[in-house]
Amino acid sequence: MAGSKKYVVYTGGKREDVDPATVVSSLASMLAGIVGSDDEATASMGFTYKKAFTGFSAWLTEDQAETLSATPGVVKVFPNRMLQLQTTHSWDFVGTPNVTVPSKNESKTLPAAADVIVGVLDTGVWPESKSFSDAGMSEVPARWKGTCDNKGVTNASVIINCNKKLIGARNYLTDGEFKNARDDAGHGTHTTSTIGGALVPQVSEFGLGAGTARGGFPGARVAMYRVCSEAGCASDAILAAFDDAIDDGVDILSLSLGGLPLAYDEDPIAIGSFHAIERKILVSCAGGNSGPAASSVSNGAPWILTVAASTIDRHFSVDIKLGNDKTLQGTALNFENITSASLILGKDASLSSANSTQASLCLVTVLDPAKVKGKIIVCEFDPLVIPTIILLKSLNNWGAAGVILGNDVIADIVRYFPLPGAFIKKAALKDLLAYTSSSNSTAATIFPTKTVLDVEPAPTVAGFSSRGPHIENLDILKPDITAPGVNILAAWSAAVPVFLEDLDATKPVFSDFNIISGTSMACPHATGAAAYVKSIHPDWSPAAIKSALMTTAKSVDNEKKPLKDFDGSDATPFAFGAGQISPLDAANPGLVYDTSVEEYLLHLCASGYNATQIAVISGRTVRCPESPGAPKLNYPSVTIPELKNQTSVVRTVTNVGAPKSVYRAIGSPPLGIELIVSPGTLAFNATGQKIAYTLTFVPLQNLSKKWAFGELIWTSDSISVRSPLAVKG
Ligand SMILES: *[C@@H]1O[C@H](CO)[C@@H](O)[C@H](O)[C@H]1NC(C)=O
Ligand SMILES: *[C@@H]1O[C@H](CO)[C@@H](O)[C@H](O)[C@H]1NC(C)=O
Ligand SMILES: *[C@@H]1O[C@H](CO)[C@@H](O)[C@H](O)[C@H]1NC(C)=O
Ligand SMILES: *[C@@H]1O[C@H](CO)[C@@H](O)[C@H](O)[C@H]1NC(C)=O
Ligand SMILES: *[C@@H]1O[C@H](CO)[C@@H](O)[C@H](O)[C@H]1NC(C)=O
Ligand SMILES: *[C@@H]1O[C@H](CO)[C@@H](O)[C@H](O)[C@H]1NC(C)=O
Ligand SMILES: *[C@@H]1O[C@H](CO)[C@@H](O)[C@H](O)[C@H]1NC(C)=O
Ligand SMILES: *[C@@H]1O[C@H](CO)[C@@H](O)[C@H](O)[C@H]1NC(C)=O
């Protein structure tokens, strides 16, 4: 197949009355017509989609792809893309064997109710992990059609035996160590156990404390769809997993993966998710690790729950005591003895020929090993310029006494340091530099890592967490919500080291549990919370569950102050959405903003998508209204990207609480705006009753081009239903 590339050929939604086998044979003959023969079609065919929607992936030349896109029945042909796992870079993977300290917000026990099945698209799963013990679980519900697929596995010790907790495991890849959905990367085991892991009592190690590991909703059943390897996640495999998972009978899907923000008709996750919500399956996705740049958020389609990452109230802290008795706090896994040595700045540890920027960043190529030896080197670090592992390895080889790396964006993330050292925030680096410039002989002492609980403020938004607005829908606030995604401890694959003691892969350290960071870790927390809500309200739509999570989210931290960003500034809703998930409150949200599939389609029309593009996304033939008007969607947040004149927005709330309940509006308008809520009181007479209200934004002055934020809260005696507001002139 010289000159050919893999493409995804999408042929639309699937009619219920058409048999999957009929779909397969008609797609095969369509491909044969293009490539010349049945044999060649068989050779070039990748996946076929036949259950929830239709299409296939295939190796094609550019000409063949073009011919196919003009073939009747073909909605769109797009190149197969590689998406990425949303952990911080794999070289920043860190871990500590057997260590688990539950933070307060991780340790709440959520009671189980109805059966909930969560499908996870990821790197596979380690089935023997104690987190997937099915002790005490009831029989798998009869509606479940998924399987534990071990096709092609010859080695008996690799076979995955599903149980009543891990009820499915399918594999879509040919690469990797195993031929099934056994996890050879660790990521999938981590996310899956975060969602629905059973309780696992732990012991302490390295003096970092002890506790019990558990998933967000231990009552959930989980099914793995292996679509990612270390190389990434191919979009044709992702679509195949959606096609199977929707048909298998999952209730919720969790995707800790993504790529650049894309138009929805180019985005396999947006397309697969649309078919999922058509079947009332909520899809929860990582918002991405491309922060703090604006408009970096991905997986932002309105029908997706888009999750940002924030810290928890537990830190792995390294104390750095300066010669002037001031102590700075850093973050690292640092198991070395207390180390005292003199400090040297990158610029003073470099070759005389070095460029000063490169020198202060500690670029290894300009450092002078002789100057570094025996010293604690201080760098204004940028992991995009030089990977952490390369710098640490070099410093270790050169006999540096220690290392202090200043960078706001990554300073929350704990990683293994093979020599005494830590990441510190820029504010701490400033103190450190002030000390070195005020004294001719400077020294510091670096202490080993200790666990610090009840850290304040927490949560704070992680620097790496991608920010809104989403490029494709400025009128929808994204991300939707934030959840713990920094230094999260969960189960790990026995095939993958948690860290390399010597950073040279000759001394790998293994553990059943590992601590990693990313929106990849935040997404499964939100998924677990959604599973909990679904277990209590099995008949709720994905939009209702999402609304419940959003309107009950907390926009204040544990000091009761507005959520802070990674650098100590006030964070905005484009960093945290509606706020930090509050699962117990989400089970009783009082009111929900529900949305139908048809409303999403109309919203696409109003957002400028034409019928062809909408057919790609939804598989449906949609006739957009002649003048669809401004985009409007019954969303739990309100965003107006260009507020020139007085503008009204209508929202409809459904009473899911007590039949007779009364809510009053409390608005805090964005700066420069008068907010009118009409009616100001909503009196419900029945559960399930819907009432519409109008929110009018009156600009009191010419608004600046900067976003301004506010909130609207509907309150009853015991419940607050909170919506963030975002407007720009
Ligand atoms: C079977 O797989 C296990 C786990 O990967 C491995 O240790 C063992 O060597 C394999 N056995 C054979 C015969 O390949
Ligand atoms: C820490 O100090 C002890 C006692 O001096 C020594 O035996 C040990 O090797 C040191 N550990 C490290 C990691 O340097
Ligand atoms: C130093 O090198 C960087 C590229 O690594 C370059 O962008 C910068 O202009 C250089 N600065 C000086 C002062 O030469
Ligand atoms: C550092 O040394 C220089 C030259 O020896 C001296 O002039 C200066 O006062 C010293 N500074 C401090 C802060 O001790
Ligand atoms: C983890 O703890 C268990 C039980 O205490 C112990 O057997 C095992 O060796 C520990 N693993 C590591 C990697 O330290
Ligand atoms: C729909 O929009 C796409 C992308 O802008 C464009 O390529 C296509 O020609 C449009 N189709 C119609 C029928 O307008
Ligand atoms: C609820 O009942 C009261 C009293 O019967 C009535 O006045 C009110 O209009 C009703 N509210 C709605 C929203 O139907
Ligand atoms: C707003 O801008 C318009 C047009 O630039 C100007 O005519 C008007 O005076 C401005 N109003 C205020 C209140 O600044």
Side-chain angles (χ1 to χ4, degrees), residues 126 154-158 177-178 182 495:
W126 197 260
T154 50
N155 181 340
S157 68
V158 168
E177 192 176 337
F178 312 111
R182 186 171 284 274

Side-chain angles (χ1 to χ4, degrees), residues 62-266:
E62 213 169 300
D63 284 351
Q64 289 168 340
E66 212 160 285
T67 313
L68 256 177
S69 56
T71 302
V74 172
V75 181
K76 175 137 180 155
V77 178
F78 43 98
N80 193 29
R81 282 198 177 82
M82 277 310 244
L83 306 185
Q84 300 304 323
L85 299 166
Q86 298 298 325
T87 35
T88 51
H89 301 280
S90 57
W91 38 262
D92 271 328
F93 275 21
V94 290
T96 156
N98 294 340
V99 174
T100 161
V101 183
S103 82
K104 278 199 188 125
N105 29 1
E106 277 185 321
S107 61
K108 279 177 190 160
T109 298
L110 306 175
D115 235 305
V116 179
I117 301 170
V118 181
V120 187
L121 275 59
D122 213 301
T123 63
V125 65
W126 197 260
E128 291 79 16
S129 165
K130 292 196 185 94
S131 293
F132 305 121
S133 157
D134 65 354
M137 292 194 76
S138 57
E139 290 306 314
V140 177
R143 66 188 165 95
W144 176 243
K145 286 161 68 183
T147 70
C148 211
D149 186 359
N150 288 292
K151 251 195 324 279
V153 177
T154 50
N155 181 340
S157 68
V158 168
I159 284 175
I160 297 179
N161 293 306
C162 285
N163 61 14
K164 289 178 269 183
K165 157 70 66 185
L166 174 65
I167 64 171
R170 295 182 188 267
N171 176 35
Y172 299 86
L173 306 178
T174 51
D175 65 344
E177 192 176 337
F178 312 111
K179 297 265 170 285
N180 58 3
R182 186 171 284 274
D183 187 1
D184 63 0
H187 187 275
T189 302
H190 198 278
T191 56
T192 309
S193 68
T194 300
I195 297 165
L199 270 68
V200 185
Q202 287 291 300
V203 295
S204 77
E205 192 78 28
F206 300 122
L208 291 181
T212 297
R214 56 182 297 281
F217 180 40
R221 300 182 203 272
V222 291
M224 171 54 59
Y225 297 83
R226 179 175 180 259
V227 299
C228 302
S229 65
E230 288 286 9
C233 325
S235 48
D236 69 331
I238 293 170
L239 282 170
F242 267 110
D243 193 36
D244 282 335
I246 292 169
D247 190 64
D248 285 349
V250 301
D251 298 308
I252 295 178
L253 280 166
S254 193
L255 284 81
S256 287
L257 54 101
L260 297 173
L262 292 171
Y264 307 140
D265 58 330
E266 303 275 342

Side-chain angles (χ1 to χ4, degrees), residues 305-349:
L305 176 66
T306 311
V307 188
S310 39
T311 62
I312 55 179
D313 58 358
R314 170 195 66 200
H315 281 192
F316 295 108
S317 184
V318 172
D319 283 349
I320 301 164
K321 194 170 172 200
L322 305 180
N324 62 2
D325 273 352
K326 201 174 164 107
T327 299
L328 308 175
Q329 241 99 49
T331 300
L333 285 187
N334 164 13
F335 305 123
E336 303 292 317
N337 286 330
I338 295 175
T339 304
S340 291
S342 50
L343 293 164
I344 186 166
L345 303 183
K347 69 178 168 62
D348 300 323

